[in-house]
Amino acid sequence: MDNLDTVIAAFANRLRLAHHVAVLTGAGISAESGIPTFRDAQTGLWSHFDPEELASPAGFARNPTLVWRWYAERRVKACAAQPNPAHYALAKLDKHVPRLTLITQNIDGLHQRAGSRNVIELHGSLHRARCMADGSLHTTWDYAEELPHCPDCGALLRPDVVWFGEMLPQTALEKAWAATLDCDIFMSIGTSGVVEPAASLPRIALSRNATVLILNLEQQTAARPPLFTINGKAGEILPRIVKMAFPV
Ligand code: OAD
């Protein structure tokens, strides 16, 4: 099965009959919104810094102002960006299938802005900060402050994102595993699948007899159902799949 139209039609047929769709997204789904991936983002001023300096507990302990400057810039860029047709296609799919679990490795909040509900954020969010003293979460703080402090207790805040060397949030991870074990369709969109758990989840879904779609820009070896692979842009391919499965 190698013709793109045939692959899309065959996958859409299965999607139409799905009971529970699990979707895992990565940096690639936001690429068409102009959000650079972590490494791409390290251009200009930031190219001089080691990722560990900008995104690790040790880096934050050494220079919290530098780390906050980096995240403040990323948050402003994410706010200025718009969801793209791939984000909207997933929000539309959510309305058509009996159950959809959306798991993302992205921290930009674009799925929620496109209308997706109950997004499982494996790597946290640019739009949340966490109090260093008591772990409380905050969605608003004084953005003008170079080094923001907790509005409740005055302790230092940190970005509520997963840094190098940190564990993924337990509850989010458990929900992602549960959905992977339960779903009958699993879609991996815009993730290279080299970092866990993105590396394992599609394989586990396949082993549980789910239909699996891998969609990214990488040249992939031909696959046969129940595994579907598409080498293309999420913003072009996903709307086609969803429209074919659910024309209205
Ligand atoms: P990567 O940068 O590893 O991979 C991006 C993937 O998106 C690649 O497979 C590309 O082919 C694909 N891609 C790029 N543009 C695309 C497009 N328009 N349509 C479809 N696919 C496209 O990003 P992630 O897999 O998200 O973790 O990386 C996972 C994690 O590794 C990140 O969240 C980050 C990093 O360490 C943390 O920061 C904790």
Side-chain angles (χ1 to χ4, degrees):
M1 204 195 276
D2 48 15
N3 175 285
L4 181 59
D5 290 333
T6 317
V7 176
I8 288 177
F11 182 73
N13 272 337
R14 289 175 177 233
L15 199 53
R16 204 174 298 125
L17 303 172
H19 297 289
H20 182 184
V21 180
V23 185
L24 172 70
T25 65
I29 200 166
S30 292
E32 290 162 77
S33 294
I35 305 268
T37 61
F38 186 81
R39 302 219 174 247
D40 287 346
Q42 283 188 282
T43 52
L45 173 68
W46 303 107
S47 60
H48 305 297
F49 295 102
D50 187 323
E52 299 267 340
E53 288 304 310
L54 301 172
S56 75
F60 187 66
R62 270 193 294 276
N63 195 343
T65 308
L66 175 76
V67 173
W68 261 116
R69 220 179 276 150
W70 155 248
Y71 279 96
E73 188 178 304
R74 293 180 76 195
R75 189 182 54 78
V76 167
K77 281 188 178 154
C79 289
Q82 297 301 325
N84 69 56
H87 296 105
Y88 287 115
L90 289 179
K92 178 180 167 193
L93 182 60
D94 197 359
K95 296 199 173 82
H96 285 284
V97 295
R99 188 168 168 213
L100 186 139
T101 303
L102 180 51
I103 308 154
T104 189
Q105 298 169 96
N106 298 343
I107 58 176
D108 53 38
L110 289 181
H111 284 304
Q112 291 90 334
R113 281 174 56 202
S116 284
R117 302 158 300 154
N118 306 321
V119 182
I120 299 173
E121 293 177 317
L122 287 178
H123 292 168
S125 172
L126 283 172
H127 308 288
R128 264 194 325 266
R130 196 192 318 153
C131 175
M132 293 291 284
D134 63 12
S136 58
L137 297 176
H138 300 269
T139 50
T140 52
W141 59 91
D142 184 355
Y143 301 126
E145 247 191 316
E146 259 217 319
L147 205 51
H149 288 82
C150 178
D152 298 334
C153 72
L156 186 61
L157 289 174
R158 62 162 277 180
D160 188 35
V161 299
V162 175
W163 281 334
F164 292 110
E166 293 188 315
M167 309 277 284
L168 301 193
Q170 189 61 28
T171 309
L173 199 52
E174 278 166 13
K175 284 185 185 166
W177 281 108
T180 304
L181 295 175
D182 179 68
C183 69
D184 48 355
I185 303 249
F186 186 98
M187 299 162 72
S188 166
I189 318 279
T191 175
S192 54
V194 290
V195 180
E196 288 295 345
S200 312
L201 295 183
R203 250 198 334 264
I204 287 163
L206 257 187
S207 76
R208 305 276 296 190
N209 298 320
T211 292
V212 172
L213 169 70
I214 312 276
L215 166 58
N216 61 31
L217 298 186
E218 265 92 67
Q219 202 63 51
Q220 296 171 86
T221 49
R224 60 176 59 186
L227 175 62
F228 294 78
T229 56
I230 299 179
N231 169 220
K233 288 187 169 179
E236 289 167 14
I237 305 290
L238 268 185
R240 284 175 65 184
I241 291 174
V242 174
K243 189 158 188 221
M244 183 156 276
F246 304 100
V248 285

